[in-house]
């Protein structure tokens, strides 16, 4: 469920995005007070409420909070944030089955922690959105898996048929905290915001065995990982993955490997014209430097090296017969509004330039 963002909050997000986009080296230093704003916390609650979800370790549900008095609850939360006494409680971990077998761990924060994380996301996301590469589609406003598939289809039809099919192994569990916090600090130097993020990264994980016995893992000694299902986790995961995508672009890999990359969170494909093996080896080396590793890849035919595939020409020809996909907008609402502020002619010129570069 999607809720309309109040105009006052939307205006703040526009200003943050435009500032970040106009000044790539600018570091934001006064953001914590925005997270503490009563209207932002209230909207954050509504967003968290719309997303529903199970209760955390305290067992409190949205219904219980509203029955006991929502306004008082939000006022108490804001008071703790302003007084710097807010502390997240352990995250409840549950295991859910994977479609292909096995189980996947999910972390479930309390409603209280979800609301604060949502408030932080409302303020921080526009800043990081200004830096994210266009090749990333996962967990971003007005982008999704369908858009990524359309772009992959478009590239296949253009002859990028040698493919690296990549998936990072246990990505959310292996993101190194120190490097991630450095990524955040390249844009955010507000000490209180950095403290909040570190608190969430260091929050213990509560697990219970078959007998209901409680066990805590992680905590202050943990050095990597961000719990899946945490509200800020996808944003932080995208931020760390953006290092790889930017490095790809800055080092000119697209030209060197005659390739394009399409990413969706920790899954990505590199579509190349004859250089998939070189792209795969380069990717493995870079991921190792980032403290990450790739899962073993799948192959389309026996002749392809492990981790790569070659899309049969018959499939590409069949794809060409399919009705042409609509263009991928890929624009975040704030981007659209800022482009409108700059004038219709400038936006049209930029669109023409993007098409020429495609």
């Amino acid at each position: 469920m999607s809720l309309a963002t109040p105009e006052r909050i939307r205006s703040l997000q526009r200003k943050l995005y435009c500032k970040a986009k106009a000044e790539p080296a600018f570091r934001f230093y006064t953001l914590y007070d925005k997270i503490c704003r009563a209207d932002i916390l209230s909207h954050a609650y509504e967003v968290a409420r719309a997303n529903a979800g199970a209760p955390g370790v305290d067992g409190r549900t949205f219904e219980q909070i509203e029955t006991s008095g929502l306004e008082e609850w939000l006022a108490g939360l804001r008071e703790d944030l302003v007084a710097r006494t807010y502390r997240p409680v352990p995250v409840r971990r549950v295991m859910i089955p994977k479609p292909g077998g096995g189980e996947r761990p999910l972390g479930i924060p309390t409603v209280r922690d979800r609301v604060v994380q949502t408030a932080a996301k409302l303020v921080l996301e526009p800043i990081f959105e200004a830096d994210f590469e266009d090749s990333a589609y996962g967990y971003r406003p007005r982008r999704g898996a369908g858009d990524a598939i359309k772009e992959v289809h478009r590239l296949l039809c253009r002859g990028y048929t040698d493919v690296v099919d990549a998936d990072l192994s246990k990505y959310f569990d292996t993101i190194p905290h120190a490097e991630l916090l450095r990524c955040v600090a390249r844009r955010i130097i507000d000490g209180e915001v950095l403290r909040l993020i570190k608190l969430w990264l260091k929050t213990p994980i509560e697990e219970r065995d078959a007998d209901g016995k409680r066990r805590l893992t992680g905590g202050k000694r943990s050095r990597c990982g961000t719990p899946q299902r945490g509200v800020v986790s996808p944003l932080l995961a995208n931020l760390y993955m953006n290092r790889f995508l930017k490095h790809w672009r800055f080092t000119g890999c697209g030209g060197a490997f005659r390739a394009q990359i399409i990413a969706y969170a920790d899954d990505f494909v590199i579509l190349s014209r004859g250089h998939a093996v070189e792209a795969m080896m380069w990717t493995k080396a870079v991921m190792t430097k980032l403290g990450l590793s790739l899962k073993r890849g799948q192959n389309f035919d026996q002749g392809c090296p492990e981790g790569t595939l070659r899309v049969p020409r018959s499939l590409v020809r069949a794809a060409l017969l399919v009705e042409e996909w609509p263009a991928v907008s890929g624009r975040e609402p704030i981007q659209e509004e800022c482009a409108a502020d700059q004038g219709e002619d400038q936006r049209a010129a930029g669109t023409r330039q993007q098409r020429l570069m495609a």
Side-chain angles (χ1 to χ4, degrees):
M1 179 178 177
S2 178
L3 292 175
T5 305
E7 180 53 34
R8 186 163 179 252
I9 299 175
R10 197 71 190 147
S11 176
L12 170 66
Q13 292 178 322
R14 266 197 305 271
K15 291 175 182 177
L16 292 172
Y17 174 85
C18 292
K19 179 69 172 178
K21 198 68 175 177
E23 301 182 36
F26 185 80
R27 302 172 78 188
F28 293 80
Y29 52 87
T30 310
L31 295 173
Y32 187 75
D33 62 317
K34 314 305 191 285
I35 296 173
C36 297
R37 270 174 35 177
D39 61 330
I40 288 181
L41 287 173
S42 178
H43 182 61
Y45 178 87
E46 295 300 326
V47 172
R49 181 75 164 86
N51 291 330
V57 295
D58 62 356
R60 294 201 73 182
T61 65
F62 291 100
E63 291 78 9
Q64 291 173 342
I65 291 171
E66 290 163 11
T67 300
S68 61
L70 176 58
E71 290 186 8
E72 292 80 1
W73 185 86
L74 285 171
L77 177 57
R78 182 174 184 275
E79 183 178 335
D80 287 345
L81 285 169
V82 171
R84 276 64 169 176
T85 57
Y86 161 80
R87 296 292 183 275
V89 299
V91 173
R92 182 165 71 94
R93 170 168 285 182
V94 297
M95 306 300 291
I96 62 171
K98 288 184 177 181
E103 292 182 318
R104 170 181 291 131
L106 285 181
I108 305 178
T110 61
V111 171
R112 178 183 174 87
D113 292 335
R114 263 180 269 176
V115 169
V116 180
Q117 288 189 27
T118 303
K121 183 173 179 285
L122 288 170
V123 174
L124 300 180
E125 186 174 56
I127 297 170
F128 295 134
E129 269 293 320
D131 295 334
F132 286 161
E133 294 289 301
D134 287 339
S135 54
Y137 290 85
Y139 306 117
R140 296 184 63 186
R142 289 201 180 177
R143 287 186 169 220
D147 298 318
I149 292 170
K150 292 171 189 176
E151 184 62 12
V152 169
H153 173 270
R154 185 182 72 85
L155 292 170
L156 288 172
C157 292
R158 291 178 58 196
Y160 293 87
T161 55
D162 291 297
V163 182
V164 177
D165 180 19
D167 183 10
L168 292 170
S169 178
K170 298 181 179 179
Y171 178 55
F172 283 81
D173 294 331
T174 57
I175 299 175
H177 289 171
E179 292 300 316
L180 175 59
L181 288 170
R182 287 192 189 99
C183 290
V184 176
R186 288 190 182 99
R187 274 301 200 175
I188 312 297
I189 56 173
D190 186 324
E192 290 303 319
V193 174
L194 294 175
R195 181 184 65 86
L196 264 186
I197 294 174
K198 189 173 182 179
L199 282 174
W200 291 325
L201 292 176
K202 302 293 185 181
T203 300
I205 306 296
E206 180 187 285
E207 299 178 271
R208 293 185 181 272
D209 58 23
D211 298 327
K213 187 176 180 180
R214 183 173 181 257
R215 181 170 69 96
L216 292 178
T217 58
K220 293 182 179 180
R221 294 184 179 180
S222 64
R223 295 292 179 267
C224 60
T226 174
Q228 294 192 29
R229 194 82 182 266
V231 177
V232 296
S233 292
L235 178 62
L236 296 175
N238 276 345
L239 180 62
Y240 197 64
M241 183 66 177
N242 201 53
R243 288 186 66 186
F244 168 74
L245 298 177
K246 279 190 177 297
H247 189 56
W248 168 276
R249 179 166 59 86
F250 289 159
T251 53
C253 288
F257 301 136
R258 300 179 66 199
Q260 304 281 344
I261 188 169
I262 304 297
Y264 189 92
D266 55 339
D267 297 305
F268 61 96
V269 292
I270 301 174
L271 300 103
S272 172
R273 289 174 171 168
H275 297 277
V277 176
E278 296 95 320
M280 179 186 68
M281 299 305 294
W282 181 91
T283 298
K284 283 185 176 180
V286 172
M287 287 302 179
T288 299
K289 291 180 180 179
L290 293 175
L292 307 171
S293 61
L294 297 174
K295 292 181 181 177
R296 298 175 72 88
Q298 301 292 325
N299 298 329
F300 254 32
D301 65 56
Q302 297 296 325
C304 293
E306 178 112 20
T308 71
L309 57 88
R310 179 169 292 111
V311 180
R313 291 185 180 276
S314 59
L315 288 183
V316 177
R317 284 197 298 271
L320 289 170
L321 298 176
V322 178
E323 182 180 356
E324 184 179 358
W325 290 101
V328 180
S329 64
R331 273 194 177 273
E332 201 270 336
I334 299 173
Q335 291 173 287
E336 294 175 351
E337 293 162 3
C338 288
D341 291 340
Q342 294 171 356
E344 183 68 23
D345 293 339
Q346 184 177 351
R347 185 175 65 225
T351 302
R352 285 195 297 272
Q353 183 179 2
Q354 289 177 359
R355 288 174 179 170
L356 290 173
M357 294 175 62

